[in-house]
Amino acid sequence: MNARARQLDLLNRTVRDIGSDLNVSFEFFPPNTPEMEKTLWGSIERLAPLKPSFVSVTYGAGSGTRDRTHGVIKRIQNDTGLIAAPHLTCIDAGREELIDIAKDYWESGVRHIVALRGDLPDNSKKPDMYANDLVELLKGVADFDISVAAYPETHPEAPNAQFDLVNLKRKVDAGANRAISQFFFDMDSYLRFRDRCVAVGIDVEIVPGILPVSNFGMLKRFADMTNVHVPDWMGKMYEGLDDDPTTRNMVGANIAMEQVKILRSEGVNDFHFYTLNRSELTYAICHTLGVRP
């Protein structure tokens, strides 16, 4: 077999192997305009046939956003049959209110919750509860399947990486079933983080969060807020594409697929896609990786 034939054989085997036992989940956010609502439900309808492990719906501070999240969750469950997982934060609600919310979710058939502390308001005092307290509270209400957040490049508020790792272990020890990572583009940062989790006794899956990038300017703003390193090579790949959304999408899909391929070769089976309520990129990536209806 010549070199080119060997290369093609390796590529064929790699693509074939990627799709076997690969599990995906998707994140959406509640819409606040009729147009955004149409986009959201179109995306959910498009991605539902891929049979994700679950779909999560984000949540902001305040009861209005929480109600929208709850409404989206219930409609997903009723109309699609997918496992819907609401985000729940604990900085803007007391323990009794959180217990009531948890009971309401359980009675509505919700079994999976993404438990987060939530973003602190500006100039706020030290919060009364943290994510590990919320996990413990939820497990006290019912046997929820609980996901929590993990930060391969360290949470922006953490004084150092070890402090952040200890905080993740508290969440797992309180009963979390898995951790979903912040998005990242440096593969080594995720793999080193996973190794460090194992070293301190964190024994749950660290599901990598994958963000398909169609708008590099928006990505840079997200990354600056969340302490995510954006490699120089990414900026170069998007140069000259400000007015070319089609090529930007192709670049973003290619980067995400390469991430999945590398992580699959390191034994990762589960991937969480931050869809930003758009289905096109995520669907194309999943299709290419062998996740199909």
Side-chain angles (χ1 to χ4, degrees), residues 42-106:
S43 296
I44 291 173
E45 184 177 339
R46 176 76 163 142
L47 293 171
L50 300 182
K51 295 182 170 56
S53 303
F54 63 91
V55 296
S56 66
V57 181
T58 65
Y59 162 97
S63 59
T65 309
R66 184 165 61 232
D67 291 344
R68 287 203 302 274
T69 297
H70 203 160
V72 172
I73 288 289
K74 286 186 174 180
R75 183 172 165 186
I76 289 173
Q77 287 197 147
N78 294 336
D79 293 0
T80 71
L82 297 174
I83 295 174
H87 287 211
L88 184 61
T89 65
C90 57
I91 59 164
D92 63 333
R95 288 179 179 272
E96 291 306 315
E97 185 180 1
L98 288 167
I99 289 171
D100 289 342
I101 292 168
K103 287 179 178 177
D104 185 35
Y105 273 135
W106 187 266

Side-chain angles (χ1 to χ4, degrees), residues 138-168:
L138 290 171
K139 285 292 190 180
V141 171
D143 189 21
F144 285 104
D145 184 9
I146 299 177
S147 296
V148 293
Y151 300 86
E153 295 170 286
T154 309
H155 191 283
E157 295 174 29
N160 54 61
Q162 186 61 26
F163 179 94
D164 201 32
L165 196 64
V166 169
N167 191 49
L168 176 57

Side-chain angles (χ1 to χ4, degrees), residues 5-273:
R6 281 197 301 272
Q7 187 178 25
L8 287 172
D9 182 58
L10 178 62
L11 176 62
N12 287 334
R13 282 189 283 114
T14 300
V15 171
R16 183 181 66 239
D17 293 344
I18 282 172
S20 59
D21 301 324
L22 189 152
N23 302 310
V24 297
S25 54
F26 306 128
E27 179 177 292
F28 302 101
F29 61 84
N32 54 20
T33 68
E35 184 177 338
M36 289 173 66
E37 182 159 358
K38 184 177 179 181
T39 299
L40 167 67
W41 292 109
S43 296
I44 291 173
E45 184 177 339
R46 176 76 163 142
L47 293 171
L50 300 182
K51 295 182 170 56
S53 303
F54 63 91
V55 296
S56 66
V57 181
T58 65
Y59 162 97
S63 59
T65 309
R66 184 165 61 232
D67 291 344
R68 287 203 302 274
T69 297
H70 203 160
V72 172
I73 288 289
K74 286 186 174 180
R75 183 172 165 186
I76 289 173
Q77 287 197 147
N78 294 336
D79 293 0
T80 71
L82 297 174
I83 295 174
H87 287 211
L88 184 61
T89 65
C90 57
I91 59 164
D92 63 333
R95 288 179 179 272
E96 291 306 315
E97 185 180 1
L98 288 167
I99 289 171
D100 289 342
I101 292 168
K103 287 179 178 177
D104 185 35
Y105 273 135
W106 187 266
E107 289 165 5
S108 301
V110 171
R111 297 294 181 263
H112 187 166
I113 289 180
V114 181
L116 309 162
R117 184 202 68 183
D119 296 329
L120 294 175
D122 293 338
N123 302 317
S124 65
K125 59 181 175 58
K126 182 179 177 181
D128 296 325
M129 290 182 67
Y130 292 88
N132 61 291
D133 301 310
L134 178 57
V135 172
E136 187 176 349
L137 179 146
L138 290 171
K139 285 292 190 180
V141 171
D143 189 21
F144 285 104
D145 184 9
I146 299 177
S147 296
V148 293
Y151 300 86
E153 295 170 286
T154 309
H155 191 283
E157 295 174 29
N160 54 61
Q162 186 61 26
F163 179 94
D164 201 32
L165 196 64
V166 169
N167 191 49
L168 176 57
K169 190 168 191 313
R170 287 195 193 99
K171 293 187 278 189
V172 172
D173 290 346
N177 300 91
R178 77 189 52 73
I180 301 171
S181 88
Q182 176 65 273
F183 68 89
F184 58 90
F185 302 100
D186 181 343
M187 298 296 100
D188 284 341
S189 69
Y190 168 84
L191 294 170
R192 287 195 304 268
F193 178 73
R194 189 177 64 165
D195 290 344
R196 290 172 55 236
C197 287
V198 172
V200 299
I202 295 172
D203 58 357
V204 299
E205 188 76 20
I206 311 296
V207 180
I210 304 295
L211 176 64
V213 177
S214 60
N215 185 321
F216 188 72
M218 184 183 295
L219 165 68
K220 286 290 289 179
R221 290 193 293 276
F222 279 172
D224 289 343
M225 291 187 295
T226 51
N227 196 39
V228 171
H229 171 63
V230 179
D232 291 341
W233 58 261
M234 277 192 73
K236 290 182 172 63
M237 290 187 75
Y238 287 92
E239 281 178 359
L241 298 179
D242 290 353
D243 299 318
D244 188 350
T246 300
T247 306
R248 287 203 313 266
N249 282 346
M250 292 177 68
V251 169
N254 183 64
I255 291 171
M257 283 187 285
E258 286 302 311
Q259 284 186 279
V260 174
K261 289 177 185 177
I262 291 169
L263 294 173
R264 281 291 281 171
S265 72
E266 296 288 343
V268 178
N269 297 325
D270 299 87
F271 297 86
H272 188 69
F273 286 88

